[in-house]
Amino acid sequence: MGSKNTGCKPAPELPNPTGNQFEVHVPAPTASAAGLPGTNVDYVVNARGDVNVSGQIAGQQVSVGWTGEQAQAPIKVLGPAAPAAAQAINNGTRAIGEQIQKAVPGVNVQWPQLHTPAGAHGH
């Protein structure tokens, strides 16, 4: 017996699989100009899916985070619908990221895994 074809497409190869999945950086002047209570806010999803959020709010440094497993748990309970839900979340995050950058100049949204690292072009 051969391998069973599940009809799923393989995930596309990422140009930078070890890079962070997603980053949002809000410098202090941008946060202040937008009327946000925090300064220098950073939201990072690393290559494993672990999330770290840090910033200064009301003069206090705040840092919180959760693991990739914790982030994926609500999606995994959807069983066979999980891949479609994950894709919808990814698409929504991308659209919101683009809108935030337009609405709040100075906010920096990045998808490092989707870009070849500097210096990696030649072999």
Side-chain angles (χ1 to χ4, degrees), residues 13-22 46-48 111-116:
E13 202 169 310
L14 297 169
N16 184 15
T18 60
N20 289 333
Q21 293 180 30
F22 179 68
N46 72 15
R48 284 186 10 94
W111 300 82
Q113 284 188 342
L114 302 180
H115 303 285
T116 303

Side-chain angles (χ1 to χ4, degrees), residues 28-108:
T30 300
S32 178
L36 299 173
T39 59
N40 290 330
V41 176
D42 295 302
Y43 179 97
V44 177
V45 180
N46 72 15
R48 284 186 10 94
D50 300 333
V51 178
N52 183 49
V53 182
S54 62
Q56 197 170 62
I57 300 174
Q60 298 294 315
Q61 183 64 32
V62 177
S63 185
V64 298
W66 50 93
T67 67
E69 292 81 12
Q70 290 169 319
Q72 289 295 314
I75 297 167
K76 286 184 178 181
V77 300
L78 298 174
Q87 186 62 50
I89 291 167
N90 187 285
N91 292 343
T93 302
R94 186 173 304 280
I96 290 168
E98 291 170 3
Q99 292 302 315
I100 287 173
Q101 288 185 113
K102 290 176 186 174
V104 184
V107 170
N108 182 353

